[in-house]
Amino acid sequence: MRGGERSGTRSGARRGEWTGRWVAERAGITLTGSERLPDLVGLALRAGNPKRAHLLVSSVLGKHVPQRPAVVHGAGLELGRRVHELLGDKAAARTVVLGYAETATGLGHSVADGLDAPYLHSTRRPVPGIPPLGGFEEEHSHATGHLLLPADRELLGGGGPLVLVDDELSTGRTVLNTIRELHGRHPRDHYVVVALVDLRSADDRRRLAAAAAELGVRLDVVATASGGVDLPEDIVMRAERLIAAVPPAAAPPAVEPAPLVRVELDWPAGLPDGGRHGFTARDRERLDAVLPALAGQLASALAGTEALPGGADRVLVLGFEELMYAPLRLAEALAQRLGGDRVRYSTTTRSPVLAVDDPGYAIRTRLVFPAHDDPQDGASRERYVYNVAPGADGVRRFDAVVLVVDDVADTPALHQGEYALLRQLRQVTDRVVLAVLPSHRPALPAPLYGPAFSSYRPEEVAWLLKDLSDVRLEAPTEEREEAVQSGGAHYAESLPVEYRPSPEYQELFHQALRGSAGRIALAVGTVAETLLRERGPGLVLASLARAGTPVGILVRRWLAFAHGLDVSHYAVSIVRGRGIDRVALRYLAAHHRAADVVFVDGWTGKGAITRELAAALAGTGFDPDLAVLADPGRCVRTYGTRDDFLIPSACLNSTVSGLVSRTVLRAGLIGPEDFHGAKHYAELAGGDVSEAFLSAVAACFRDVRAEAVEGAERLAADPDRTPDWAGWAAVERISAEYGIDDVNLVKPGVGETTRVLLRRVPWRVLARRGAGADLDHVRLLAAQRGVPVEEVDGLPYSCVGLIHPRYSRGATGASGRAVRGRES
């Protein structure tokens, strides 16, 4: 509750009929504060929202109430100019604007226009392949989840002022949620909150000020008008009674549907249709330049016909939910083209609101239609468009409606069915024009193929990587280890030096391959048959480069051998602590159904990459269920075996992985629209055994086929298939026993231990007592590097490699052999 000047009745009387009168009189609601409030908002009752009974309906937002587009755009421009004055030229030049979905996406864009600043708005539409940068909740809303999906992940990280734009600042909780979420990722000194109306109570203002002080930031609020809303204690009950008493609107008489014209706008390639993934000053220039021509195309579609011999005198440009800004600018340009006062603008909405055909009520009529953009929350959800259909008098409000949607929303549900939006619009106007904009999809690089990149055949794998072969990235192992452990560099910012293996070590590889090819083939077949049973023949393989790539090729070869399938296979990068390559995800989503993509790797250790993958894929539409040949860590559902055995591809680096390095993610080399990087070591071709490994395993396919099918059947029926993460628990025990503070320095399993000996600074190796030939190569590598091998009992893995826990270059001698950090 708030005190203050009662503005609603007095201002309403001065202006004539106020569109909040019906609710104010019957529900006992009063506006207080600025005399401008009734100019900006009317009142309506929410339908089906138990959190808030009333709705302030903006008359200048262009969401529920059709308005002149110049008024809608101008309201945001004026707020943007006021923010510019507050910040000054220097700070304004470093500002980023963030708008709230769905209602304020166009307002925020207009504020950004007034500032000439880059813009991003939150979204409730997940986009396959684009992991959310973050998200926050809107407590009072009918749909709470907000996602941030910038194409440029650094858009919000510049450190300049952040301007947050909403249509209504009621309590400040949503703003506070946003600031806390973003400040933890990208701290900054200054936030500005912008709204058409500021309705916070004194307590709300103190709460926001206290939060700003707690974070140590400056927080300003800029609003067109401020005040409050006085509500009776029983407002929810009053609203329920009022809603129950309103008779349902009579169905309009059936008429011949109006003509429907589809216009193909010459929308510039690559120009975003809004701020869902970001909108820059350059994008703004491109849009401004093309608007007159686009308006001309719309005007031609509205030209006089038999149905409209004089043309359309009253035109509504109708946007679509979050797609507010592009339709607004098109409406503004069309109004200038047609002249006079002929064009209005509004959009469809998710917000359910009661309609009452009374001049003192803000929502006079409504159309209800099914969602038509295949929303994640279900295609059966209702959507609405207000104040477009005729009222009880039957008089049509508009001669023509121009509906602007993006191509994601141009589905059969938009066109077909008794209540489809286009069908209903054709019943309430004389002409409907449909304009479909290309939904913005950030540009994607092209994959790499062998033999130009890698020694694999081009049909076997498409590398979603950037070629860094000409860049010097290698550093000595000891130097890399010191930089990683000191926090001076991430392991993915450089590469270990790749050597041609010694003849002795190569012979160990071939011995291991001869001894385990059949076992690997059985694991490959079990995984492939399981994936085929569970995903169907349309599956797409995405191997985690580089260790997973030979496995992906083997699974692909099995599916061709056993079932005649030719499945797509891509290699993608995932980096511990940095996540999966988001550009690669976008590429996969653009070319395949996300549900068909299966991520593949060689083996699990403690499960760090399994967890990394699950976190990276959250909200993207991709299934995080990783498929591996060996799962000794017991952290995945799809595996060939849970035994810890040697997969010979772990014995070598690039020479068993198509001559490709491990992946690289380093600022300055990998831009926001690049795949992660890697190198092709063509100079090591003389020692390449990549094809020899694949061929040796594939030669065993026929012998193990029946057993693999049985294995897949057993796996499908196995009640113990659910991960229990026993490996992670074992690693934590080992970390404690050996005084290692960082579990990332404990690498369990044959494959991970081999990697430690080849690429890191090993401290010691723990071997399960009695482990046999699977560890011959581990013992050889350990001896070459002077690393002790301890035989222990009760180890759930064949072996565990321990990276030196307090490494500096003094931990190795001049020869590079390990110096023991404590008594063995």
Short mmCIF file of all heavy atoms in Angstrom, two decimals, residues 468-498:
data_model
loop_
_atom_site.label_atom_id
_atom_site.label_comp_id
_atom_site.label_asym_id
_atom_site.label_seq_id
_atom_site.Cartn_x
_atom_site.Cartn_y
_atom_site.Cartn_z
N LEU A 468 44.47 -24.61 -36.90
CA LEU A 468 45.54 -23.79 -36.33
C LEU A 468 46.91 -24.37 -36.65
O LEU A 468 47.89 -24.14 -35.93
CB LEU A 468 45.37 -23.68 -34.81
CG LEU A 468 44.07 -23.07 -34.30
CD1 LEU A 468 44.04 -23.10 -32.78
CD2 LEU A 468 43.89 -21.65 -34.81
N SER A 469 47.00 -25.13 -37.75
CA SER A 469 48.23 -25.85 -38.06
C SER A 469 49.43 -24.93 -38.22
O SER A 469 50.57 -25.35 -37.98
CB SER A 469 48.04 -26.68 -39.33
OG SER A 469 47.01 -27.64 -39.15
N ASP A 470 49.21 -23.70 -38.63
CA ASP A 470 50.32 -22.78 -38.85
C ASP A 470 50.68 -21.96 -37.62
O ASP A 470 51.54 -21.08 -37.69
CB ASP A 470 49.97 -21.83 -40.01
CG ASP A 470 49.83 -22.57 -41.34
OD1 ASP A 470 50.50 -23.61 -41.49
OD2 ASP A 470 49.07 -22.10 -42.20
N VAL A 471 50.02 -22.23 -36.51
CA VAL A 471 50.27 -21.46 -35.29
C VAL A 471 51.13 -22.29 -34.34
O VAL A 471 50.85 -23.47 -34.10
CB VAL A 471 48.94 -21.09 -34.59
CG1 VAL A 471 49.21 -20.25 -33.33
CG2 VAL A 471 48.03 -20.33 -35.55
N ARG A 472 52.18 -21.68 -33.79
CA ARG A 472 53.02 -22.39 -32.84
C ARG A 472 52.35 -22.36 -31.47
O ARG A 472 52.22 -21.30 -30.84
CB ARG A 472 54.41 -21.77 -32.76
CG ARG A 472 55.32 -22.51 -31.79
CD ARG A 472 56.78 -22.13 -31.95
NE ARG A 472 57.62 -22.84 -31.00
CZ ARG A 472 58.00 -24.11 -31.10
NH1 ARG A 472 57.58 -24.83 -32.14
NH2 ARG A 472 58.78 -24.67 -30.19
N LEU A 473 51.93 -23.52 -31.01
CA LEU A 473 51.18 -23.62 -29.75
C LEU A 473 51.85 -24.55 -28.75
O LEU A 473 51.42 -24.61 -27.59
CB LEU A 473 49.76 -24.13 -30.04
CG LEU A 473 48.86 -23.19 -30.83
CD1 LEU A 473 47.66 -23.94 -31.37
CD2 LEU A 473 48.41 -22.04 -29.95
N GLU A 474 52.88 -25.28 -29.20
CA GLU A 474 53.48 -26.29 -28.35
C GLU A 474 54.39 -25.66 -27.30
O GLU A 474 55.07 -24.66 -27.56
CB GLU A 474 54.28 -27.30 -29.18
CG GLU A 474 53.43 -28.16 -30.10
CD GLU A 474 52.97 -27.44 -31.36
OE1 GLU A 474 53.47 -26.32 -31.63
OE2 GLU A 474 52.11 -27.97 -32.06
N ALA A 475 54.39 -26.26 -26.12
CA ALA A 475 55.29 -25.86 -25.05
C ALA A 475 55.75 -27.11 -24.34
O ALA A 475 55.04 -28.12 -24.30
CB ALA A 475 54.58 -24.92 -24.07
N PRO A 476 56.96 -27.09 -23.75
CA PRO A 476 57.43 -28.26 -23.01
C PRO A 476 56.45 -28.65 -21.92
O PRO A 476 55.77 -27.81 -21.32
CB PRO A 476 58.76 -27.78 -22.42
CG PRO A 476 59.20 -26.67 -23.31
CD PRO A 476 57.95 -26.00 -23.77
N THR A 477 56.36 -29.94 -21.66
CA THR A 477 55.40 -30.46 -20.69
C THR A 477 55.53 -29.79 -19.34
O THR A 477 54.54 -29.40 -18.72
CB THR A 477 55.58 -31.99 -20.55
OG1 THR A 477 55.37 -32.59 -21.83
CG2 THR A 477 54.61 -32.56 -19.54
N GLU A 478 56.78 -29.64 -18.85
CA GLU A 478 56.99 -29.06 -17.53
C GLU A 478 56.54 -27.61 -17.49
O GLU A 478 55.96 -27.15 -16.51
CB GLU A 478 58.47 -29.18 -17.14
CG GLU A 478 58.93 -30.60 -16.85
CD GLU A 478 59.10 -31.43 -18.13
OE1 GLU A 478 59.24 -30.82 -19.22
OE2 GLU A 478 59.07 -32.66 -18.04
N GLU A 479 56.79 -26.89 -18.56
CA GLU A 479 56.38 -25.49 -18.61
C GLU A 479 54.86 -25.37 -18.61
O GLU A 479 54.29 -24.52 -17.90
CB GLU A 479 56.95 -24.84 -19.88
CG GLU A 479 56.62 -23.37 -20.04
CD GLU A 479 57.21 -22.80 -21.31
OE1 GLU A 479 58.38 -23.10 -21.61
OE2 GLU A 479 56.50 -22.06 -22.02
N ARG A 480 54.19 -26.23 -19.36
CA ARG A 480 52.73 -26.20 -19.40
C ARG A 480 52.15 -26.55 -18.03
O ARG A 480 51.22 -25.91 -17.55
CB ARG A 480 52.19 -27.20 -20.43
CG ARG A 480 52.52 -26.86 -21.86
CD ARG A 480 51.91 -27.87 -22.82
NE ARG A 480 50.47 -27.70 -22.92
CZ ARG A 480 49.59 -28.61 -22.52
NH1 ARG A 480 49.98 -29.73 -21.97
NH2 ARG A 480 48.30 -28.38 -22.66
N GLU A 481 52.71 -27.58 -17.38
CA GLU A 481 52.19 -28.00 -16.09
C GLU A 481 52.31 -26.90 -15.05
O GLU A 481 51.37 -26.65 -14.27
CB GLU A 481 52.92 -29.25 -15.61
CG GLU A 481 52.26 -29.92 -14.42
CD GLU A 481 50.89 -30.50 -14.77
OE1 GLU A 481 50.76 -31.15 -15.84
OE2 GLU A 481 49.95 -30.30 -13.98
N GLU A 482 53.45 -26.23 -15.04
CA GLU A 482 53.63 -25.16 -14.07
C GLU A 482 52.63 -24.04 -14.31
O GLU A 482 52.04 -23.50 -13.36
CB GLU A 482 55.05 -24.62 -14.14
CG GLU A 482 55.35 -23.56 -13.08
CD GLU A 482 56.81 -23.15 -13.08
OE1 GLU A 482 57.41 -23.09 -14.16
OE2 GLU A 482 57.32 -22.88 -11.99
N ALA A 483 52.42 -23.69 -15.58
CA ALA A 483 51.48 -22.61 -15.89
C ALA A 483 50.06 -22.98 -15.51
O ALA A 483 49.30 -22.17 -14.96
CB ALA A 483 51.55 -22.27 -17.39
N VAL A 484 49.67 -24.24 -15.75
CA VAL A 484 48.31 -24.68 -15.43
C VAL A 484 48.09 -24.69 -13.92
O VAL A 484 47.11 -24.16 -13.40
CB VAL A 484 48.03 -26.07 -16.04
CG1 VAL A 484 46.73 -26.64 -15.50
CG2 VAL A 484 47.98 -25.98 -17.56
N GLN A 485 49.04 -25.29 -13.18
CA GLN A 485 48.83 -25.42 -11.74
C GLN A 485 48.96 -24.10 -11.00
O GLN A 485 48.37 -23.92 -9.94
CB GLN A 485 49.80 -26.45 -11.16
CG GLN A 485 49.48 -27.88 -11.59
CD GLN A 485 50.06 -28.90 -10.63
OE1 GLN A 485 50.20 -28.64 -9.45
NE2 GLN A 485 50.39 -30.07 -11.17
N SER A 486 49.72 -23.17 -11.56
CA SER A 486 49.85 -21.87 -10.91
C SER A 486 48.68 -20.95 -11.21
O SER A 486 48.56 -19.87 -10.64
CB SER A 486 51.15 -21.18 -11.36
OG SER A 486 51.08 -20.83 -12.73
N GLY A 487 47.80 -21.38 -12.12
CA GLY A 487 46.67 -20.55 -12.52
C GLY A 487 47.02 -19.55 -13.60
O GLY A 487 46.20 -18.73 -13.99
N GLY A 488 48.23 -19.64 -14.12
CA GLY A 488 48.64 -18.69 -15.15
C GLY A 488 48.10 -18.99 -16.52
O GLY A 488 48.10 -18.13 -17.39
N ALA A 489 47.63 -20.21 -16.75
CA ALA A 489 47.09 -20.58 -18.06
C ALA A 489 46.17 -21.77 -17.90
O ALA A 489 46.29 -22.56 -16.96
CB ALA A 489 48.23 -20.91 -19.04
N HIS A 490 45.25 -21.89 -18.81
CA HIS A 490 44.38 -23.06 -18.87
C HIS A 490 45.05 -24.10 -19.76
O HIS A 490 45.76 -23.75 -20.72
CB HIS A 490 43.02 -22.67 -19.44
CG HIS A 490 41.98 -23.73 -19.31
ND1 HIS A 490 41.86 -24.75 -20.22
CD2 HIS A 490 41.01 -23.94 -18.38
CE1 HIS A 490 40.85 -25.54 -19.87
NE2 HIS A 490 40.32 -25.07 -18.75
N TYR A 491 44.80 -25.37 -19.45
CA TYR A 491 45.49 -26.41 -20.22
C TYR A 491 45.14 -26.37 -21.71
O TYR A 491 45.91 -26.82 -22.56
CB TYR A 491 45.18 -27.80 -19.63
CG TYR A 491 43.82 -28.36 -19.98
CD1 TYR A 491 43.60 -29.10 -21.14
CD2 TYR A 491 42.72 -28.15 -19.14
CE1 TYR A 491 42.37 -29.62 -21.45
CE2 TYR A 491 41.48 -28.67 -19.45
CZ TYR A 491 41.31 -29.40 -20.60
OH TYR A 491 40.07 -29.91 -20.92
N ALA A 492 43.96 -25.83 -22.06
CA ALA A 492 43.55 -25.80 -23.46
C ALA A 492 44.13 -24.62 -24.23
O ALA A 492 43.84 -24.46 -25.41
CB ALA A 492 42.03 -25.76 -23.56
N GLU A 493 44.96 -23.81 -23.60
CA GLU A 493 45.53 -22.65 -24.28
C GLU A 493 46.83 -22.98 -25.00
O GLU A 493 47.35 -22.14 -25.74
CB GLU A 493 45.74 -21.51 -23.28
CG GLU A 493 44.43 -20.97 -22.71
CD GLU A 493 44.64 -19.90 -21.68
OE1 GLU A 493 45.80 -19.67 -21.29
OE2 GLU A 493 43.64 -19.29 -21.26
N SER A 494 47.40 -24.16 -24.75
CA SER A 494 48.63 -24.57 -25.42
C SER A 494 48.55 -26.06 -25.69
O SER A 494 47.58 -26.73 -25.31
CB SER A 494 49.85 -24.24 -24.55
OG SER A 494 49.80 -24.97 -23.34
N LEU A 495 49.59 -26.58 -26.35
CA LEU A 495 49.63 -27.99 -26.70
C LEU A 495 50.93 -28.61 -26.21
O LEU A 495 51.97 -27.94 -26.20
CB LEU A 495 49.53 -28.19 -28.22
CG LEU A 495 48.21 -27.81 -28.88
CD1 LEU A 495 48.35 -27.86 -30.39
CD2 LEU A 495 47.08 -28.73 -28.42
N PRO A 496 50.89 -29.89 -25.84
CA PRO A 496 52.16 -30.57 -25.57
C PRO A 496 52.91 -30.81 -26.88
O PRO A 496 52.31 -30.86 -27.95
CB PRO A 496 51.71 -31.89 -24.93
CG PRO A 496 50.35 -32.12 -25.49
CD PRO A 496 49.73 -30.77 -25.65
N VAL A 497 54.20 -30.94 -26.77
CA VAL A 497 55.00 -31.24 -27.96
C VAL A 497 54.69 -32.66 -28.40
O VAL A 497 54.71 -33.60 -27.59
CB VAL A 497 56.50 -31.08 -27.66
CG1 VAL A 497 57.33 -31.43 -28.89
CG2 VAL A 497 56.80 -29.65 -27.21
N GLU A 498 54.38 -32.83 -29.69
CA GLU A 498 54.08 -34.16 -30.23
C GLU A 498 55.36 -34.78 -30.82
O GLU A 498 56.04 -34.14 -31.63
CB GLU A 498 53.01 -34.06 -31.32
CG GLU A 498 51.67 -33.57 -30.81
CD GLU A 498 50.68 -34.71 -30.58
OE1 GLU A 498 50.97 -35.84 -30.99
OE2 GLU A 498 49.61 -34.44 -29.99
#
